[in-house]
Amino acid sequence: MEFAELIKTPRADNVVLHRPFYLAVEGTLCLTGHHLIFSSRRQDNAEELWLLHSNIDSIEKRFVGSLGTIIIKCKDLRIIQLDIPGMEECLNIASSIEALSTLDSVTLMYPFFYRPMFEIIEDGWRSFLPDQEFELLSSVTDEWRLSCVNKEFSVCPSYPPVVIVPKSVDDEALRKVAMFRHGSRFPVLSYYHKKNGMVMMRSSQPLTGTNGRRCKEDEKLINATLRPGKRGYIIDTRSLNIAQQARAKGGGFEQEAHYPQWRRIHKCIERFNILQESLIKLVEACNDQSHNMDRWLSKLEASNWLTHIKEILTAACLAAQCIDREGASVLVHGTEGTDSTLQVTSLAQIILDPRCRTIRGFESLVVREWLQAGHPFQQRCAQSAYSNSKQKWEAPVFLLFLDCVWQILRQFPCSFEFNEQFLIMLFEHAYASQFGTFLGNNENERSKLKLPQKTMSLWSWVNRSEELSKFQNPLFEANSLVIWPSVAPQSLQLWEGVFLRWNRPSKFLDEAHEEMINIIKYNKELQAKVNALRRQLAEMETDDRMQDNL
Amino acid sequence: VENVRLLDRLSSRKAALGTLYLTATHVIFVENGSETRKETWVLHSQISSIEKQATTATGCPLLIRCKNFQIIQLVIPQERDCHDVYISLIRLARPVKYEELYCFSFNPKLDKEEREQGWKLVNLNEEYNRMGIPNSYWQISDVNRDYGVCDSYPTEVYVPKSATAHIIVGSSKFRSRRRFPALSYYYKDNNASICRSSQPLSGFSARCLEDEQMLQAIRKANPGSDFIYVVDTRPKLNAMANRAAGKGYENEDNYSNIKFQFIGIENIHVMRNSLQKMLEVCELKSPSMSDFLWGLENSGWLKHIKAIMDAGIFIAKAVAEEGVSVLVHCSDGWDRTAQVCSVASLLLDPYYRTMKGFMVLIEKDWVSFGHKFNHRYGNLDGDPKEISPVIDQFIECVWQLMEQFPCAFEFNERFLIHIQHHVYSCQFGNFLCNSQKERRELKIQERTYSLWAHLWKNRADYLNPLYRSDHSQTQGTLRPQMAPCNFLYKFWSGMYNRFEKGLHPRQSVTDYLMAVKEESQQLEEELEVLGERLANLQKSQLTDIKVESKQQDRSKQLGLSASNNSLANTPQDYSNDLKSFPSRSPSQGDEEDSALILTQDNLKSSDPDLSANSDQESGVEDLSCRSPSGGGCLPSEDSGKDSDEAVFLA
């Protein structure tokens, strides 16, 4: 298929662009296969707006006489309005955008066409390989091994080819365990806590069904992570009620009788359409232009977004608490183990592990706990807050995770190497990107699409020093401690950087950020100067002394 | 009283055993704990309510709520003791004479001269001079010397030149409590001004020629504009109701060239109830997100804050952009009017956003114009219906502005919190009584100390590191977004949950940046010294001086910033489910403990006056208050073997 077939009108003149907090600009609109490009011709202030079609969440058209108006709502929550003279032109453009922003085939997406304009220093597809991770692990413990049981994705389609499992469990047992877990997602290592050797594992629900099936290998596998005489915790991210209901569909949870050394805790984290609706309501409230203070708060409340944040953070804190304070190992799962499970395991690592609070470490966490762990990005991020399609598999699971990270970052502003912009950037790229990183639903799909060969990795771009400098937190000072966030409602705030980003002027806040950077930069410059002078002095002094001695 | 338990508000199992002392000025709780002997000091004047609850098996609970939003829960073993404490506190918390207040016994060990210097720090005549007054339009009037015209006004009042004594006196007779229109702020750039008064006694039809002439005079003092705004800060309904009582508002037909405008800010009773409701929300034990947001919304608090801000923004805009003078009043012109005039001044004039300027602003719009501090903040036992958080709301407006304009203010959040604290503490004489007249009669300046001098002395603690006098945000008028940014107004947990450290960010960007800036300053000095030495060395090749001392300073400084960075804490009550599982005492790294102790030192040094007592223990009060979310900054609880168990219990 040629994109040209979809583009009925490639270009329109005298189009007026409206954005909040900017004056309306007149210019030319162009449509290409992957972009909507608006360029103003004004001499004094020429500017261009490039919008990826895949970033467009919904499009509305209105007509007043022959003047057509298109309102474009983006997945990054931005809303722009284009006034296009001529009804036919406007209709053509609208339908072209609609077609181009809803392409079915992944291979038609921009990452397959994007050619980077920068020099690739490090191939991001090879930046975070499981072997490297395992090497780090083997330097502190020899109780674990890399298993290739899932080579060719033959055992679990949503797992990566290599996983880390207890040394004492062989591949044959793993295959049996896989039969006992939903989607074959058998328990694998998620995190090893160096401080006390406790671990966090993740999996999907056990398939106990109504008659209480059991699987000796499964019991053996997870017991293998316990120290003699110690107990562990299973954190089920569903309420007890939902977990019980799951049995009717063949799912279920670990029975005390068969897992006597484990204590099960249910922490209810919502999923799927409940989250999607929450996002839709929240964004609606944020975009509401009315003046009434009361309505704002009740709408914020009614969206339940912050309630979800609180639930997720609480579950993650609990997992971290079990590991660090109770000195117990933890297994986390919900139903599939691809959504709330990953929110909990990844946030717990941010709380526990200082490495995850660095840029590189956080990237590695996203790769390990989200991409390789098989979070279905393509399904979940197909639509954002302005979608009207009520597809069951769309949900802002990853955005909620990023929001939770932001909440912790806000409470510990000096403990993270990255800043808020870094998190916002990840949010944007998860929903629409020129890079292939977030395409596909799991490693299996990514390898079939040959993404590493055919597309560019987000990490290849981000990890260049020009880009990195934008995402660095000037206040960062490595903090080797466990950081316990507060989950009280007073401590949780709306993430303005994402949800009010397009609805508030940010000039004054940006200036403050700049000021902060300058203060720190000046300090570093002074330090460098002082050190240089000291060295110079010391050299002269030794010279002197040598002369004296002579 | 011995064997008293101080409860942690959120987890009942975490309680400190200690001894309770009552002194003439403070309630003091000293923990029995061997090493730390942590102390909690509460000034009697901070106590807002005391509640004795039903005796339980463990003892008799006593709940003390403070005006600075601290809540203290004690359990006293003997019912009789509890009753005695209760009765004594009720008496002590409600003094009947000014002489009983703490400021008359508080002695910061300053000599007479230093005290007098302190009172001279803020000088309102200088302030009017700074505005450019007197000038050809405005002059100082002595019509109120000896408080002959209005006993709640200051002796020195600034009025238009064309307003004769006859006009002023005539106008004052037509205004509630004789509070005639007087100058609050003069905008040099375009001659527009903000004047303030009380409501006119217009009833349904009454007129007063002198009052009309007075408003005329205000208009004439601004030749650039042919009308003035008259802003009534009350809801229209309230103002109309006042007419029946012979009061009311200006009739546009009677006054030439005025534009009359209502801006509905609710009265002190509504505000008192609103705060009460919001505090109930803050007090909830582990509220859900919905409980909290609903409660916050139902309290209406943020709506009221927005109303005050909107009024201030309206006036600032009229003055700066339209060049029109504004007369502001409410009923008596000492609550809403003070709020609105000071918010508008703050928006208009960068000087008020400096530390010194802010002191001047409060002294000008609140203290000198007879804001009834004693009644509103219940310093002496009085009518509870007179109490209302009027200045608290103004202080919060400033905080909301600081959130929107992070570089615009020379001072930081702590400065505001400490001022709020001292409005209630009665430790300094500034806010005593209801008017200048009363303060002069009591000889406040000879018998007490000034808060401003105290804050000024510790100004390093109150600096906003992002403030730069040449930054664009520190120039000219601040123009906050009005509509549709309701979300700009946020709950201020730093104030209303001030003593629950666990709820706040664990690392302070302000403190961190201040430490960096301080270090930079030392580096600059060192650079200079090193530069000189280098020059000397190059000249004479002489080498025996050592500059190592400087270097030590620096590393100490670095230590400070590093420890700021490691405000470690303990987990909260994340789950009820861990309860029945035997918890082991975790083997905590020494590292964590030492970091916590360092933190405590930091806080101590940065909050020197919080506890409002004169001895050196002062910082402790702030630290020893119970931190609900697992004792965020209490090292003793963190490292304790048994207490840790409580962490997991709800």
Side-chain angles (χ1 to χ4, degrees):
Chain A
M1 188 192 64
E2 287 291 318
F3 290 117
E5 291 166 21
L6 296 173
I7 305 170
K8 294 174 186 155
T9 301
R11 179 193 156 113
D13 289 321
N14 304 321
V15 174
V16 180
L17 168 72
H18 301 268
R19 287 164 297 179
F21 306 110
Y22 288 93
L23 293 175
V25 203
E26 192 180 295
T28 303
L29 181 72
C30 293
L31 294 186
T32 72
H34 294 105
H35 285 96
L36 178 158
I37 304 158
F38 177 90
S39 48
S40 80
R41 291 173 298 181
R42 278 223 317 265
Q43 293 289 311
D44 51 330
N45 190 15
E47 62 164 311
E48 278 190 2
L49 174 85
W50 287 63
L51 201 64
L52 262 179
H53 291 316
S54 56
N55 187 10
I56 294 172
D57 207 23
S58 85
I59 170 165
E60 290 163 22
K61 22 184 203 292
R62 278 204 308 253
F63 291 95
V64 180
S66 67
L67 181 76
T69 293
I70 301 180
I71 295 166
I72 295 174
K73 300 183 174 180
C74 302
K75 290 176 187 163
D76 63 11
L77 309 182
R78 161 170 39 177
I79 298 179
I80 61 169
Q81 181 188 329
L82 296 167
D83 295 341
I84 303 167
M87 188 180 292
E88 201 192 324
E89 275 186 312
C90 181
L91 277 173
N92 282 345
I93 286 172
S95 65
S96 308
I97 294 175
E98 232 169 298
L100 289 164
S101 61
T102 51
L103 297 174
D104 302 325
S105 168
V106 184
T107 51
L108 290 176
M109 304 290 267
Y110 187 48
F112 286 93
F113 298 83
Y114 171 72
R115 290 292 160 262
M117 302 294 282
F118 57 86
E119 191 198 345
I120 294 145
I121 297 158
E122 177 192 345
D123 180 8
W125 289 111
R126 308 195 51 80
S127 293
F128 307 100
L129 297 174
D131 313 25
Q132 297 163 359
E133 198 59 34
F134 185 70
E135 221 164 279
L136 281 176
L137 180 69
S138 0
S139 66
V140 284
T141 170
D142 59 356
E143 290 164 14
W144 299 82
R145 69 183 183 93
L146 265 186
S147 164
C148 297
V149 68
N150 199 35
K151 211 169 70 186
E152 313 289 327
F153 308 98
S154 54
V155 173
C156 172
S158 63
Y159 268 180
V162 280
V163 289
I164 302 174
V165 294
K167 209 172 204 170
S168 58
V169 181
D170 60 25
D171 284 357
E172 200 41 50
L174 290 177
R175 285 196 189 91
K176 283 190 181 142
V177 177
M179 309 275 282
F180 182 64
R181 292 274 171 180
H182 189 121
S184 307
R185 295 174 64 93
F186 53 89
V188 294
L189 181 77
S190 163
Y191 170 67
Y192 180 88
H193 197 45
K194 278 185 214 147
K195 191 166 130 193
N196 58 11
M198 293 302 131
V199 297
M200 179 160 59
M201 288 180 301
R202 54 178 158 76
S203 70
S204 59
Q205 65 177 346
L207 301 174
T208 57
T210 37
N211 48 11
R213 253 181 76 201
R214 63 186 286 193
C215 169
K216 285 269 164 57
E217 287 79 6
D218 189 76
E219 292 156 25
K220 188 173 161 241
L221 194 166
I222 73 166
N223 285 339
T225 66
L226 293 178
R227 294 282 153 82
K230 288 227 176 185
R231 296 218 268 178
Y233 289 94
I234 295 171
I235 296 179
D236 192 324
T237 61
R238 305 162 294 179
S239 68
L240 179 60
N241 204 5
I242 293 173
Q244 277 165 346
Q245 284 167 12
R247 288 191 296 194
K249 291 185 220 148
F253 52 85
E254 293 81 357
Q255 306 280 344
E256 281 86 350
H258 302 151
Y259 299 84
Q261 287 163 285
W262 294 81
R263 172 165 203 87
R264 211 178 58 247
I265 301 175
H266 291 272
K267 280 278 167 192
C268 182
I269 297 177
E270 296 293 349
R271 38 210 304 263
F272 296 137
N273 56 326
I274 293 180
L275 299 181
Q276 186 72 5
E277 266 160 39
S278 172
L279 174 68
I280 292 171
K281 278 189 194 158
L282 174 69
V283 172
E284 231 173 63
C286 293
N287 289 341
D288 181 15
Q289 306 284 305
S290 76
H291 291 236
N292 195 327
M293 186 74 213
D294 279 3
R295 277 177 54 204
W296 159 244
L297 279 176
S298 53
K299 281 180 169 179
L300 179 62
E301 190 275 329
S303 79
N304 270 327
W305 184 264
L306 288 171
T307 302
H308 299 314
I309 296 285
K310 184 168 152 64
E311 280 164 0
I312 296 165
L313 266 178
T314 307
C317 289
L318 177 70
Q321 194 179 4
C322 290
I323 293 170
D324 187 66
R325 292 297 163 117
E326 295 286 299
S329 285
V330 173
L331 169 67
V332 185
H333 71 72
T335 306
E336 289 97 346
T338 54
D339 295 283
S340 53
T341 304
L342 305 182
Q343 289 172 330
V344 172
T345 58
S346 51
L347 286 168
Q349 292 181 54
I350 284 166
I351 294 166
L352 293 170
D353 187 359
R355 190 167 67 105
C356 294
R357 297 172 222 143
T358 65
I359 291 181
R360 196 95 190 165
F362 189 79
E363 290 171 355
S364 158
L365 181 78
V366 169
V367 171
R368 263 184 294 131
E369 291 296 297
W370 291 87
L371 291 162
Q372 292 173 355
H375 174 68
F377 274 99
Q378 197 167 313
Q379 287 180 352
R380 299 286 180 265
C381 301
Q383 297 258 261
S384 163
Y386 302 119
S387 70
N388 350 344
S389 81
K390 291 261 158 78
Q391 303 234 352
K392 197 187 167 225
W393 50 78
E394 285 150 9
V397 178
F398 188 62
L399 176 58
L400 276 162
F401 158 71
L402 294 175
D403 194 334
C404 289
V405 177
W406 178 79
Q407 304 284 351
I408 307 177
L409 169 65
R410 205 188 67 80
Q411 294 186 27
F412 294 89
C414 309
S415 297
F416 287 81
E417 193 192 2
F418 51 86
N419 59 18
E420 179 179 0
Q421 291 311 314
F422 184 66
L423 299 173
I424 296 174
M425 180 273 294
L426 288 174
F427 158 62
E428 289 177 339
H429 283 279
Y431 279 84
S433 175
Q434 65 269 46
F435 303 107
T437 300
F438 291 107
L439 290 182
N441 289 308
N442 48 52
E443 292 294 274
N444 189 5
E445 290 187 19
R446 277 177 211 114
S447 96
K448 280 185 188 143
L449 288 166
K450 297 199 167 48
L451 290 178
Q453 291 83 37
K454 293 188 169 170
T455 72
M456 182 61 48
S457 161
L458 171 66
W459 316 123
S460 307
W461 171 71
V462 171
N463 288 333
R464 293 156 60 248
S465 55
E466 301 95 302
E467 299 303 325
L468 273 183
S469 61
K470 284 184 240 162
F471 302 127
Q472 267 154 355
N473 174 9
L475 306 175
F476 176 61
E477 270 187 27
N479 173 358
S480 60
L481 305 176
V482 174
I483 53 175
W484 299 107
S486 160
V487 296
Q490 288 97 321
S491 312
L492 302 178
Q493 287 189 0
L494 178 71
W495 189 7
E496 298 182 13
V498 163
F499 298 107
L500 303 179
R501 181 176 175 195
W502 312 103
N503 314 343
R504 60 152 195 200
S506 62
K507 178 169 170 267
F508 304 117
L509 302 179
D510 294 344
E511 284 173 357
H513 188 70
E514 212 170 287
E515 197 64 28
M516 218 179 273
I517 291 173
N518 288 339
I519 290 171
I520 305 240
K521 209 165 97 193
Y522 179 59
N523 179 273
K524 293 214 166 114
E525 282 168 13
L526 280 177
Q527 267 174 18
K529 273 189 207 161
V530 166
N531 287 339
L533 267 186
R534 276 211 199 112
R535 226 174 296 130
Q536 203 180 339
L537 263 174
E539 274 165 25
M540 289 180 75
E541 278 169 350
T542 27
D543 284 357
D544 251 26
R545 230 166 274 138
M546 280 165 68
Q547 278 177 0
D548 286 354
N549 290 344
L550 288 174
Chain B
V1 184
E2 289 189 358
N3 291 322
V4 173
R5 280 181 305 135
L6 178 69
L7 297 189
D8 190 290
R9 199 169 71 76
L10 288 191
S11 64
S12 51
R13 292 276 299 275
K14 195 191 283 178
L17 200 63
T19 308
L20 188 73
Y21 300 92
L22 297 190
T23 73
T25 54
H26 288 85
V27 183
I28 306 163
F29 178 84
V30 182
E31 227 174 82
N32 287 348
S34 49
E35 313 122 43
T36 45
R37 292 194 65 81
K38 225 167 61 211
E39 295 175 29
T40 305
W41 290 62
V42 176
L43 259 174
H44 294 327
S45 52
Q46 286 289 2
I47 296 174
S48 88
S49 77
I50 312 151
E51 208 179 296
K52 212 176 100 192
Q53 294 161 330
T55 311
T56 64
T58 48
C60 191
L62 197 66
L63 185 71
I64 304 174
R65 288 197 181 84
C66 299
K67 295 167 180 173
N68 58 6
F69 312 115
Q70 184 170 18
I71 298 170
I72 290 179
Q73 263 178 301
L74 299 166
V75 177
I76 299 173
Q78 295 297 319
E79 211 272 328
R80 224 190 47 223
D81 290 340
C82 183
H83 188 72
D84 290 347
V85 170
Y86 176 71
I87 295 293
S88 320
L89 279 181
I90 284 200
R91 172 64 190 86
L92 288 166
R94 289 175 198 158
V96 289
K97 286 202 316 265
Y98 283 118
E99 281 72 10
E100 292 177 47
L101 293 174
Y102 184 39
C103 56
F104 290 99
S105 57
F106 171 67
N107 182 0
K109 301 189 184 78
L110 295 176
D111 59 34
K112 185 161 167 274
E113 203 173 310
E114 282 173 301
R115 187 179 63 203
E116 283 169 4
Q117 270 327 106
W119 281 110
K120 280 181 192 147
L121 189 68
V122 171
N123 179 329
L124 287 186
N125 280 331
E126 268 173 29
E127 167 56 11
Y128 285 98
N129 289 340
R130 188 193 66 85
M131 290 183 206
I133 284 187
N135 63 9
S136 48
Y137 303 114
W138 294 90
Q139 64 183 10
I140 190 165
S141 163
D142 62 352
V143 68
N144 200 36
R145 64 172 184 277
D146 309 328
Y147 306 101
V149 175
C150 173
D151 61 0
S152 61
Y153 263 18
T155 48
E156 287 166 339
V157 189
Y158 292 81
V159 292
K161 256 202 171 138
S162 57
T164 60
H166 172 74
I167 291 177
I168 296 171
V169 173
S171 167
S172 79
K173 286 179 181 156
F174 190 63
R175 295 271 165 184
S176 268
R177 301 182 195 267
R178 316 192 87 199
R179 291 170 68 90
F180 57 87
L183 182 76
S184 163
Y185 180 70
Y186 175 75
Y187 193 62
K188 243 187 305 207
D189 297 9
N190 61 9
N191 299 319
S193 63
I194 303 174
C195 295
R196 55 183 291 173
S197 70
S198 60
Q199 64 186 338
L201 303 175
S202 53
F204 290 100
S205 58
R207 296 182 61 162
C208 167
L209 185 64
E210 290 86 353
D211 194 58
E212 288 161 26
Q213 287 171 334
M214 186 75 195
L215 266 63
Q216 197 69 275
I218 292 171
R219 182 177 63 79
K220 281 187 194 143
N222 177 11
S225 167
D226 49 13
F227 71 95
I228 65 168
Y229 282 111
V230 175
V231 171
D232 189 327
T233 57
R234 298 168 293 182
K236 189 171 182 185
L237 214 63
N238 301 20
M240 307 242 294
N242 262 302
R243 289 204 298 193
K247 300 164 188 173
Y249 53 91
E250 291 81 355
N251 183 339
E252 272 187 2
D253 300 336
N254 297 343
Y255 294 82
S256 55
N257 307 315
I258 68 164
K259 281 194 185 167
F260 186 84
Q261 181 92 31
F262 282 113
I263 295 184
I265 302 174
E266 299 291 348
N267 64 27
I268 57 167
H269 312 294
V270 175
M271 300 306 192
R272 180 177 57 243
N273 293 334
S274 173
L275 177 65
Q276 185 54 41
K277 278 191 193 157
M278 184 174 72
L279 291 180
E280 279 164 22
V281 177
C282 297
E283 260 187 65
L284 287 177
K285 287 189 181 183
S286 48
S288 74
M289 205 70 221
S290 295
D291 293 340
F292 177 72
L293 289 173
W294 265 117
L296 189 58
E297 156 140 347
N298 283 335
S299 76
W301 182 257
L302 289 175
K303 191 177 70 186
H304 299 314
I305 295 293
K306 183 173 187 295
I308 297 165
M309 286 295 301
D310 285 349
I313 293 169
F314 174 85
I315 293 166
K317 229 172 147 180
V319 168
E321 286 171 27
E322 298 178 51
V324 178
S325 295
V326 185
L327 171 67
V328 187
H329 69 73
C330 44
S331 296
D332 291 316
W334 51 39
D335 294 317
R336 284 168 277 199
T337 300
Q339 289 175 329
V340 167
C341 288
S342 46
V343 167
S345 301
L346 196 72
L347 292 173
L348 285 168
D349 195 330
Y351 175 64
Y352 297 128
R353 293 172 234 143
T354 65
M355 213 175 279
K356 184 82 177 293
F358 192 69
M359 298 172 181
V360 168
L361 183 65
I362 290 185
E363 205 59 47
K364 169 172 78 77
D365 278 330
W366 296 81
V367 178
S368 87
F369 272 106
H371 176 63
K372 301 199 294 174
F373 281 93
N374 175 38
H375 285 165
R376 293 294 173 262
Y377 312 115
N379 296 342
L380 293 188
D381 194 22
D383 182 359
K385 286 211 168 65
E386 282 281 323
I387 293 176
S388 187
V390 182
I391 202 167
D392 303 58
Q393 287 184 315
F394 166 63
I395 290 172
E396 173 164 344
C397 285
V398 182
W399 178 80
Q400 301 280 2
L401 281 171
M402 277 164 56
E403 286 286 290
Q404 289 181 47
F405 299 93
C407 305
F409 293 83
E410 189 190 19
F411 46 86
N412 58 28
E413 178 183 12
R414 195 180 297 143
F415 185 63
L416 297 178
I417 291 174
H418 286 195
I419 291 176
Q420 190 273 352
H421 178 96
H422 287 298
V423 163
Y424 293 92
S425 76
C426 302
Q427 185 178 351
F428 298 94
N430 304 59
F431 305 131
L432 241 48
C433 306
N434 290 321
S435 66
Q436 194 187 67
K437 181 166 177 257
E438 284 182 44
R439 276 187 294 276
R440 294 225 170 134
E441 282 164 2
L442 262 178
K443 300 197 190 334
I444 290 293
Q445 297 209 358
E446 288 152 51
R447 298 165 69 190
T448 73
Y449 293 85
S450 168
L451 168 66
W452 307 131
H454 173 77
L455 293 177
W456 188 247
K457 202 178 82 199
N458 299 306
R459 61 185 173 279
D461 290 332
Y462 302 121
L463 284 174
N464 170 13
L466 298 176
Y467 179 84
R468 212 168 12 94
S469 55
D470 54 351
H471 192 281
S472 63
Q473 281 184 39
T474 63
Q475 317 296 315
T477 307
L478 286 187
R479 292 188 176 82
Q481 280 291 317
M482 279 181 79
C485 298
N486 298 317
F487 38 70
L488 286 176
Y489 297 97
K490 288 183 272 196
F491 172 73
W492 188 8
S493 69
M495 176 64 95
Y496 304 106
N497 286 110
R498 175 181 157 197
F499 289 91
E500 309 190 356
K501 296 282 188 225
L503 299 182
H504 305 154
R506 306 308 170 84
Q507 296 172 320
S508 158
V509 173
T510 302
D511 291 347
Y512 180 81
L513 288 176
M514 279 319 293
V516 170
K517 279 183 101 166
E518 219 171 290
E519 193 199 39
S520 293
Q521 209 174 346
Q522 289 181 354
L523 285 171
E524 276 171 1
E525 284 163 21
E526 186 178 352
L527 208 56
E528 205 171 304
V529 174
L530 287 175
E532 272 170 32
R533 277 190 52 201
L534 201 63
N536 286 342
L537 210 62
Q538 278 160 343
K539 250 188 255 159
S540 60
Q541 297 281 315
L542 281 176
T543 58
D544 276 328
I545 330 135
K546 288 256 183 271
V547 211
E548 291 313 308
S549 59
K550 272 284 165 202
Q551 198 175 348
Q552 274 177 356
D553 275 358
R554 217 181 129 253
S555 51
K556 213 165 82 189
Q557 205 47 55
L558 276 170
L560 179 77
S561 56
S563 66
N564 268 342
N565 207 5
S566 48
L567 296 188
N569 49 3
T570 56
Q572 298 191 325
D573 306 329
Y574 297 119
S575 170
N576 299 335
D577 303 310
L578 286 172
K579 199 182 306 185
S580 46
F581 198 57
S583 91
R584 279 163 293 273
S585 72
S587 53
Q588 237 192 333
D590 291 337
E591 197 187 6
E592 234 162 301
D593 285 340
S594 59
L596 280 161
I597 289 157
L598 260 172
T599 302
Q600 184 178 20
D601 289 341
N602 272 352
L603 280 171
K604 216 172 191 170
S605 62
S606 60
D607 285 8
D609 74 320
L610 257 189
S611 63
N613 52 41
S614 48
D615 58 323
Q616 288 308 302
E617 296 280 325
S618 32
V620 178
E621 180 203 322
D622 199 36
L623 287 163
S624 52
C625 59
R626 310 124 303 116
S627 159
S629 53
C633 40
L634 306 181
S636 55
E637 290 182 21
D638 268 0
S639 48
K641 282 173 196 78
D642 298 329
S643 63
D644 229 315
E645 195 179 347
V647 166
F648 306 112
L649 303 171

